[in-house]
Amino acid sequence: MGREELSQVALSSEDESMAVVGDPPEKGDLLEGSAIDMPGEKVAGEEKGFPTMETMLRPPSHLPQPEAPPGFSRVPSTGGEDYHPVERSLSLTSSTAMDMSSIGKFFRERGNSLSAAIAKRISLLTESEDDLAKSVTEFHLSGLKVVVRLKDGDEEDESTGDGDYGDIKGRISFFSRSGCRDCGAVRSFLRSKALPFVEINVDVFPEREKELIDRTGSAAVPAIFFNERLVGGLVALNSLRNSGEFERRLREMACRRCPDNAPRVPVYGFDDDEEEKILEDAMVGTVRVLRQRLPIQDRITKMKLVKNCFSGGDMVEVLIRHLDCGRQKAVEIGKELGRRHFIHHVFRDNDFEDSNSQFYRFLEHDPSIPKCFNFRGATNDEEPKPAVVIGQRLTKLMSAILESYASEDRRRLDYARIGASEEFRRYTNMVQDLQRVDLFSLSVEERTAFFLNLYNAMVIHANVRLGRPAAAAGPIDRRSFFNDFQYVVGGYPYSLSTIKDGILRSNRRSPYSFVRPLSSSDRRLELVLPKVNPLVHFGLCNGVRSSPSVRFFSTQGVELELRHAAREFFSGGGMDVDLEKRVVHLTRIIKWYSADFGQDREALQWVMGYLDASKTGLLSHLMSDGSPVHIIYQNFDWSLNC
């Protein structure tokens, strides 16, 4: 084969491959001499009526012959007299050739139809009545979903609450305090109108109180602002409502954005500057030296293995060398460290002694302390705050949580929102101050309010952190909940059961238990209330639906507030009288804690002092005629109060 023939073979092979994968060649694109007639050979398709077509030149017989890819067959294309035939790939299952120009025409026509349909639908929306246009926000075409979003300028003002204020671009904000009735009235009014507002609680954000005074000239709350303009308190708000000025001002705010000099939105996740000024305990330097130099190890005493402890004698020696003081001075320092709850005896049954047979440990080395939920890897070495101050701070934060994330009757709580709130974050930081607080200086009323509030706060904390507990049939199944969730308070671990049965119930056994919460050698016995007050049961919320509503108490009026809580509980379904059947339906709390309320008629006599007039008359009639009175204890719903 000559050089010219080889050249022609290469050119023809290149043209054939280009024709298979590309578009049909235009007139004059084929190279001259790339196809020749093959006399005596019929072209495929000629017998079926196709016109005779030119045949592509193939390689010589001794060279490999090109074959069609598997699954494909070659079908000739037809055209006019000037059309150059090209072989195209076609699916073996098809019966006709694929025409690229037809495909393009199909997509163009389909696109034009789709565009016309969309334009027609949108034109119908713009030409239809306003109410119909507003009701149509999306429509569907074949294989396509179209969502219609109206521009801000085209939307009419939406009704909010009882008025028609539109989209408010400004900001309504007001300063408040926890437990303030006027603040609650303002909050309820704004919620009833479905108006967005920003509440700045100066009990939660104490750093904002100075701003309140600067803007209003006093610390009085509520202080309501429309953008940067001071409206006043609840009286001023009521005056605006009665005169119709309130609606006019809201419409002004609908078109005016909030300026920069308006009260700013509280920043979440950051503590104020005052709280960052930490006052370390005066003895922290000495404690740090002792933590490094004392030989802390496991020891055996009283036939028990105690871990991470040191002897009193070793501590005295280290203090003498470090402080260059006498032995008596070192012993006094050791006792002071015990009073400040930096150290304690391994069995917590005696004060510090200069002895090699008495062993002590640091608070953080107690095996039960790291399990407490207000302990974060290390003890709080700040100067302990007074217990009354911490109790007041706890009450303010938890009251703010209830005002924002609880139902009006405080029987339902939104634990998910509580856990994500700034109030709860600040609360969990604050309860670390309880680790070394001095509780023994509290009066009886102060102790009652402190432990009532601490119990209710711990229940909320437990439900947020541990999640929804499984529905239980009774207190036995919830025993782990009441015993395992603990805080370290004043150097001691406190569970819910310890607070309720040990402190508030004067160290009485809980239902279905055979031991008292506090042993005879436990120093916390000095904190128990001198006598049992059955009213405490109606001030404690266990976080379940049949429990009394959650509340927090003040130190001065705790007894009156407990009486009010009991009356509210019995009027809300805790007690009912069926005069005809001579049956009293009573809360199961009375049965479980019969040791506090008394048995049968004695318990009914106690309950009678906290009923409304109608129930008191019915119960008095049943108990005075001498006939038997039947008591049926209500089912207790242990599901979460959310």
Side-chain angles (χ1 to χ4, degrees):
M1 182 180 294
R3 181 172 300 179
E4 286 186 324
E5 293 178 340
L6 290 175
S7 175
Q8 289 178 346
V9 169
L11 290 173
S12 63
S13 300
E14 180 181 354
D15 288 343
E16 182 177 10
S17 62
M18 291 175 62
V20 170
V21 299
D23 293 330
E26 299 294 336
K27 182 178 180 180
D29 286 347
L30 293 179
L31 296 176
E32 294 182 0
S34 61
I36 59 173
D37 293 332
M38 298 294 293
E41 181 177 330
K42 287 190 176 182
V43 180
E46 185 175 356
E47 295 179 353
K48 297 182 180 181
F50 290 107
T52 304
M53 54 183 294
E54 296 178 340
T55 304
M56 303 294 293
L57 183 63
R58 294 181 174 274
S61 59
H62 63 278
L63 294 177
Q65 300 297 316
E67 297 181 359
F72 288 87
S73 63
R74 292 178 296 176
V75 179
S77 300
T78 59
E81 62 178 341
D82 294 332
Y83 183 78
H84 296 274
V86 179
E87 292 181 334
R88 287 182 177 155
S89 297
L90 184 66
S91 174
L92 191 61
T93 60
S94 301
S95 58
T96 58
M98 184 180 296
D99 192 344
M100 297 301 294
S101 61
S102 299
I103 294 176
K105 182 179 180 181
F106 169 78
F107 280 110
R108 285 194 300 272
E109 293 177 353
R110 183 67 174 175
N112 293 336
S113 301
L114 186 61
S115 300
I118 294 175
K120 182 178 180 181
R121 290 293 185 93
I122 295 177
S123 64
L124 288 176
L125 286 177
T126 58
E127 294 173 1
S128 61
E129 297 180 359
D130 293 341
D131 56 345
L132 178 61
K134 286 185 177 180
S135 64
V136 179
T137 57
E138 66 180 46
F139 54 86
H140 296 267
L141 299 174
S142 178
L144 183 67
K145 175 183 178 181
V146 180
V147 178
V148 179
R149 299 184 183 276
L150 300 178
K151 295 182 179 180
D152 293 339
D154 296 336
E155 294 181 356
E156 295 186 1
D157 294 341
E158 297 181 358
S159 176
T160 56
D162 297 333
D164 187 10
Y165 311 122
D167 292 334
I168 298 179
K169 297 181 180 178
R171 181 192 306 152
I172 302 174
S173 54
F174 75 97
F175 289 84
S176 67
R177 293 186 188 275
S178 299
C180 173
R181 291 187 178 182
D182 287 355
C183 296
V186 172
R187 189 184 305 112
S188 298
F189 169 73
L190 296 176
R191 287 175 177 173
S192 67
K193 296 289 184 179
L195 293 171
F197 64 91
V198 174
E199 182 175 355
I200 308 168
N201 190 324
V202 294
D203 288 331
V204 178
F205 304 96
E207 70 274 14
R208 302 295 296 272
E209 186 170 9
K210 182 178 182 300
E211 178 187 352
L212 169 64
I213 297 174
D214 293 340
R215 287 182 178 272
T216 65
S218 70
V221 293
I224 308 169
F225 287 81
F226 283 5
N227 286 342
E228 80 284 5
R229 296 175 58 185
L230 173 64
V231 173
L234 180 61
V235 175
L237 178 62
N238 289 331
S239 177
L240 290 178
R241 293 172 56 195
N242 296 332
S243 64
E245 184 70 10
F246 181 79
E247 286 76 10
R248 188 188 67 80
R249 291 200 182 186
L250 282 181
R251 290 191 176 90
E252 288 181 357
M253 293 178 62
C255 339
R256 181 175 174 234
R257 294 190 178 278
C258 185
D260 294 337
N261 59 341
R264 57 186 174 83
V265 178
V267 179
Y268 281 22
F270 297 92
D271 294 319
D272 56 276
D273 296 336
E274 295 181 2
E275 291 184 353
E276 292 179 358
K277 296 178 181 178
I278 299 174
L279 297 176
E280 284 191 343
D281 193 291
M283 305 192 73
V284 167
T286 302
V287 172
R288 289 173 179 168
V289 172
L290 293 174
R291 286 170 176 164
Q292 294 177 357
R293 298 186 180 181
L294 278 175
I296 299 175
Q297 56 189 4
D298 299 345
R299 305 170 191 262
I300 296 178
T301 178
K302 296 183 180 180
M303 304 296 292
K304 294 182 179 179
L305 175 66
V306 290
K307 296 185 176 181
N308 300 326
C309 60
F310 55 87
S311 68
D314 290 339
M315 181 172 170
V316 169
E317 294 295 336
V318 173
L319 288 173
I320 291 174
R321 291 195 301 268
H322 173 66
L323 300 176
D324 192 17
C325 63
R327 200 167 197 89
Q328 184 62 34
K329 178 66 174 177
V331 173
E332 292 178 1
I333 293 175
K335 292 182 178 181
E336 182 64 21
L337 291 176
R339 285 190 292 268
R340 291 176 178 261
H341 303 295
F342 281 111
I343 63 171
H344 62 263
H345 191 269
V346 290
F347 299 128
R348 296 181 180 270
D349 55 4
N350 67 339
D351 294 331
F352 181 78
E353 297 179 10
D354 181 10
S355 171
N356 291 325
S357 61
Q358 297 294 334
F359 300 107
Y360 305 86
R361 58 162 63 103
F362 289 104
L363 180 62
E364 61 267 26
H365 291 160
D366 190 316
S368 62
I369 299 303
K371 300 177 183 178
C372 295
F373 281 76
N374 67 329
F375 181 85
R376 296 183 178 178
T379 53
N380 186 351
D381 289 340
E382 298 178 23
E383 182 72 22
K385 299 181 179 66
V388 174
V389 174
I390 298 177
Q392 292 174 348
R393 176 70 171 156
L394 180 150
T395 302
K396 291 176 180 178
L397 287 173
M398 297 309 296
S399 296
I401 287 176
L402 294 183
E403 291 166 353
S404 298
Y405 311 111
S407 59
E408 290 294 333
D409 60 359
R410 300 191 176 185
R411 301 295 294 267
R412 301 288 186 269
L413 278 70
D414 190 340
Y415 290 106
R417 294 179 62 203
I418 290 174
S421 68
E422 175 68 7
E423 295 91 337
F424 185 75
R425 187 193 71 83
R426 295 199 176 208
Y427 164 79
T428 55
N429 289 339
M430 182 274 301
V431 292
Q432 295 180 81
D433 296 337
L434 294 171
Q435 294 177 6
R436 297 191 302 108
V437 70
D438 181 17
L439 299 178
F440 296 96
S441 60
L442 295 176
S443 65
V444 174
E445 291 76 13
E446 290 171 341
R447 269 181 280 159
T448 303
F450 179 87
F451 282 106
L452 283 171
N453 295 337
L454 181 61
Y455 182 95
N456 290 334
M458 287 176 64
V459 169
I460 294 176
H461 191 176
N463 286 329
V464 170
R465 286 291 177 254
L466 303 180
R468 181 187 296 271
I476 297 178
D477 303 289
R478 295 291 297 273
R479 187 176 298 172
S480 61
F481 176 82
F482 294 116
N483 292 332
D484 294 345
F485 190 88
Q486 298 180 349
Y487 276 6
V488 50
V489 184
Y492 288 85
Y494 284 83
S495 66
L496 294 171
S497 179
T498 303
I499 294 175
K500 182 176 182 177
D501 302 314
I503 305 298
L504 296 175
R505 295 185 60 234
S506 300
N507 200 32
R508 289 190 173 183
R509 292 188 293 269
S510 61
Y512 312 106
S513 177
F514 300 100
V515 295
R516 299 177 183 270
L518 305 177
S519 64
S520 58
S521 61
D522 198 319
R523 194 185 174 195
R524 289 175 292 180
L525 287 174
E526 300 177 24
L527 297 174
V528 302
L529 299 186
K531 63 178 181 178
V532 178
N533 184 356
L535 288 172
V536 298
H537 293 283
F538 307 103
L540 299 175
C541 177
N542 294 331
V544 296
R545 296 195 175 184
S546 289
S547 184
S549 59
V550 59
R551 63 181 71 236
F552 294 89
F553 300 87
S554 61
T555 302
Q556 297 77 13
V558 61
E559 182 68 21
L560 292 176
E561 293 171 7
L562 281 173
R563 291 178 178 272
H564 175 72
R567 292 189 180 97
E568 183 182 273
F569 179 78
F570 287 121
S571 64
M575 185 268 190
D576 288 307
V577 179
D578 189 335
L579 187 61
E580 181 180 354
K581 297 181 179 179
R582 303 187 60 83
V583 171
V584 176
H585 298 271
L586 201 58
T587 175
R588 199 167 287 270
I589 295 175
I590 302 293
K591 179 181 180 180
W592 287 330
Y593 296 96
S594 58
D596 301 345
F597 295 99
Q599 299 290 335
D600 298 336
R601 297 183 70 89
E602 186 180 0
L604 291 178
Q605 193 68 38
W606 184 93
V607 169
M608 193 182 299
Y610 302 96
L611 302 178
D612 55 41
S614 61
K615 289 184 178 179
T616 300
L618 293 175
L619 184 57
S620 177
H621 175 73
L622 289 179
M623 296 182 64
S624 62
D625 61 6
S627 299
V629 179
H630 303 284
I631 300 177
I632 296 179
Y633 292 101
Q634 302 166 345
N635 292 329
F636 201 87
D637 188 352
W638 287 96
S639 56
L640 193 65
N641 61 339
C642 60

